[in-house]
Amino acid sequence: MYVYGADYSGARDPSNKIYYARCRLDGKQITVEKIVKCDDRLDLYDAIVSSNAPWGLDFPFALPKAGYRALKLPGWTELLDYATNSERDQFLNSPLIQLSCESKYSNESLRDCWRETDIAVDSFSPLKRNNPNMLSMTYGGLKLLAYLRKQGVKVFPFDNLDKSHSRVYEVYPSNTWAFLGQARSFTNLPVILAGVSSVQYRVGLSIPNQDAADAVIAAVTLAACIREFRLEDDWSKFPPCWREEEWNARNLEGVIVRPWCGKHDS
């Protein structure tokens, strides 16, 4: 089966910033076969809808619980509606949480900044506003998810599994780089992947920049997770090694998929 991964951009002008990669998952073997540059988010949208395949996307699929409370939203579908009915500046300046959410999780007093799944993989808060602007990426990503669902695309873990359409999963490539014990670097990605069991990289495949490398890592991460946890068979089963807290919060906050324990996993 084919498994895709994309490096997404929530910037106003995403030109030269969006790439996707395709892997082939054949039993235990993962082979990186293709890298594609998107000139516009519409290119990515069309590729997802038309592929009828699983995709790993590297942006937050939801807000932390406190964000729902601040916006007075009862659930995730209402959050998608809020994003699609808001202009970018309106969303970015909405009363999400009046806290500084710029760091990674380390202080329980700022607990409202993070989803349970952010804590598990040591990721930035979806409410972070600077370097990188995660809130802008979250806004663009929520709108993409809303439009994809209108075309029948299913979103893990919020929807019911339906393999007659494409499926999208949230991934966090930086967590994979850390798991591999490597700094993020596109220049030596083929060498890094060559050292990973059951992963092959097609000879001569060009990696032009870090965005393309992150797309490859997104695809490999999802392929490994599908292989280890059989995610494409059952979306209701609690995968081993994930935290019970994030699984219990998944219907509001979503889950970042990965085939290994994160920094704060038990």
Side-chain angles (χ1 to χ4, degrees):
M1 69 180 298
Y2 287 127
V3 180
Y4 293 79
D7 181 71
Y8 184 77
S9 173
R12 288 183 186 272
D13 179 7
S15 299
N16 301 317
K17 298 176 182 177
I18 298 178
Y19 286 79
Y20 70 82
R22 188 183 76 192
C23 293
R24 178 181 289 276
L25 176 59
D26 185 9
K28 293 290 186 180
Q29 186 67 49
I30 300 170
T31 304
V32 182
E33 294 187 341
K34 185 178 182 181
I35 299 174
V36 178
K37 176 185 174 183
C38 299
D39 289 328
D40 189 89
R41 278 185 281 264
L42 284 173
D43 299 327
L44 177 61
Y45 170 86
D46 178 70
I48 294 173
V49 171
S50 62
S51 65
N52 191 28
W55 284 73
L57 305 178
D58 71 333
F59 58 79
F61 280 18
L63 295 177
K65 292 177 182 177
Y68 288 90
R69 293 196 299 270
L71 296 174
K72 297 180 173 59
L73 298 174
W76 183 72
T77 56
E78 289 80 9
L79 175 61
L80 296 188
D81 291 340
Y82 180 83
T84 56
N85 291 321
S86 300
E87 295 182 0
R88 178 181 294 269
D89 289 341
Q90 177 187 357
F91 185 91
L92 299 185
N93 295 315
S94 58
L96 288 168
I97 298 181
Q98 300 305 313
L99 292 172
S100 175
C101 299
E102 297 305 301
S103 65
K104 292 186 177 179
Y105 176 77
S106 61
N107 189 336
E108 185 64 24
S109 67
L110 298 177
R111 179 63 181 76
D112 283 351
C113 288
W114 294 275
R115 302 172 296 165
E116 292 289 348
T117 197
D118 298 321
I119 295 174
V121 303
D122 195 34
S123 71
F124 288 118
S125 165
L127 305 176
K128 178 179 172 62
R129 295 173 181 267
N130 299 288
N131 193 30
N133 189 336
M134 295 299 298
L135 188 57
S136 180
M137 183 176 294
T138 301
Y139 167 72
L142 291 174
K143 293 185 75 171
L144 176 62
L145 294 179
Y147 299 148
L148 289 173
R149 290 179 86 225
K150 290 182 179 180
Q151 299 301 317
V153 175
K154 303 303 178 183
V155 181
F156 176 85
F158 303 99
D159 293 322
N160 294 321
L161 176 61
D162 177 2
K163 291 194 284 188
S164 66
H165 296 83
S166 292
R167 292 79 67 197
V168 295
Y169 300 79
E170 182 180 348
V171 296
Y172 184 50
S174 291
N175 178 253
T176 303
W177 286 104
F179 173 77
L180 296 174
Q182 300 288 339
R184 291 175 65 238
S185 172
F186 73 94
T187 58
N188 63 345
L189 180 59
V191 175
I192 293 171
L193 292 182
V196 180
S197 176
S198 300
V199 176
Q200 293 181 344
Y201 196 87
R202 184 169 67 79
V203 176
L205 192 61
S206 174
I207 309 173
N209 53 42
Q210 189 60 48
D211 294 324
D214 284 341
V216 170
I217 289 293
V220 170
T221 298
L222 180 57
C225 199
I226 291 172
R227 182 184 65 190
E228 297 301 320
F229 297 152
R230 302 184 67 87
L231 274 182
E232 284 282 281
D233 294 339
D234 187 356
W235 281 5
S236 65
K237 184 178 179 180
F238 177 35
C241 199
W242 296 5
R243 298 172 70 239
E244 184 175 353
E245 294 87 348
E246 64 178 318
W247 189 248
N248 291 338
R250 69 189 185 281
N251 291 329
L252 272 184
E253 296 187 334
V255 174
I256 296 171
V257 304
R258 71 275 182 193
W260 44 76
C261 292
K263 178 178 179 181
H264 298 285
D265 285 329
S266 55

